[in-house]
Amino acid sequence: MITVSIDTHSETEDFFRVIGAPKYRYYVQPTEVKSMLSAYFRKISLLPVYVIFSTYHDFEDIEVLLKKLRQPYDIQRLADTCTVMIDGKTVRYHVPLFRMQVDCINALQEIIVQTFWLAESNCSYIISFSNNVRVTTQITKSMRNKHVETSILQIDMNVPATTMCMAHDADGFYLFSNEETYSSVEKVYNHFAD
């Protein structure tokens, strides 16, 4: 089961910002996002695909996976900081952001299967057919009214692109596109329906 609707609330998301005006904006909500995405990418077999996701301080298992797949990647530390307790000690760290260009469908499948839990736990998770995602830093006020640096993922839609951003709890995703193949709700539905 899948529902597709015109996007009316992506502007309220706080971890990404769309730059430019994509021709088409949708919210796609399948019953199971991870399996639907895996099937979709297998079906279209269009590469390369750019995968960007944030994670936690202990990301060695992700690096092991990517090395096993021989998948090149970059890690960028965001301005945002997290504080956690580990073995009774306070650990403060800058949020890591993985970025990669995936050129192999089998590697893409495995990356989605093994890392999608990050999207489900509200880490940033973006998949794009263009290298159109950048990180900017801004000064905002915290809940304690202090000035803090935060990072925002900017999705540049001034270029030909189709980009998917996972929503809260990965219950669905926003689809931004300038491509005619996504020019209607029906076309989007047909792309993702089994």
Side-chain angles (χ1 to χ4, degrees):
M1 175 74 183
I2 182 172
T3 58
V4 178
S5 57
I6 301 296
D7 166 38
T8 58
H9 52 304
S10 63
E11 282 112 16
T12 63
E13 291 287 351
D14 60 357
F15 73 90
F16 70 84
R17 183 171 300 129
V18 176
I19 305 302
K23 282 184 174 180
Y24 313 108
R25 302 174 75 113
Y26 303 100
Y27 185 70
V28 181
Q29 192 171 22
T31 304
E32 169 57 43
V33 177
K34 178 172 64 175
S35 61
M36 192 243 18
L37 284 174
S38 292
Y40 167 74
F41 285 111
R42 175 81 51 200
K43 179 172 82 174
I44 66 163
S45 206
L46 182 63
L47 298 168
V49 172
Y50 298 86
V51 180
I52 300 103
F53 55 80
S54 61
T55 186
Y56 301 100
H57 74 289
D58 55 347
F59 53 78
E60 293 82 15
D61 55 335
I62 296 170
E63 287 187 301
V64 167
L65 168 70
L66 297 176
K67 287 175 182 171
K68 181 182 104 180
L69 296 171
R70 295 188 174 128
Q71 172 60 53
Y73 62 93
D74 292 318
I75 300 175
Q76 178 180 358
R77 296 289 181 156
L78 301 179
D80 307 72
T81 58
C82 288
T83 305
V84 295
M85 292 293 288
I86 300 173
D87 297 330
K89 295 181 182 176
T90 301
V91 176
R92 186 175 171 92
Y93 65 94
H94 287 274
V95 174
L97 183 77
F98 277 76
R99 302 173 65 100
M100 63 202 80
Q101 175 183 316
V102 184
D103 296 309
C104 170
I105 194 65
N106 292 332
L108 179 61
Q109 296 287 125
E110 193 66 19
I111 290 165
I112 291 171
V113 166
Q114 297 296 325
T115 65
F116 202 74
W117 66 272
L118 293 164
E120 294 168 335
S121 62
N122 292 319
C123 290
S124 302
Y125 203 101
I126 298 174
I127 302 173
S128 185
F129 290 108
S130 300
N131 189 11
N132 64 329
V133 179
R134 306 284 177 264
V135 177
T136 61
T137 302
Q138 63 186 21
I139 304 294
T140 59
K141 285 197 175 185
S142 70
M143 292 188 305
R144 295 184 176 141
N145 212 21
K146 292 183 180 182
H147 286 91
V148 294
E149 281 189 318
T150 59
S151 294
I152 298 289
L153 299 177
Q154 290 189 336
I155 301 163
D156 185 359
M157 292 305 296
N158 290 311
V159 297
T162 295
T163 304
M164 295 166 236
C165 302
M166 299 311 121
H168 184 75
D169 292 337
D171 286 335
F173 60 91
Y174 299 100
L175 174 73
F176 308 111
S177 185
N178 293 325
E179 300 179 64
E180 292 303 313
T181 187
Y182 298 99
S183 62
S184 69
V185 168
E186 293 77 20
K187 285 183 179 181
V188 173
Y189 179 84
N190 289 335
H191 270 288
F192 293 104
D194 287 334

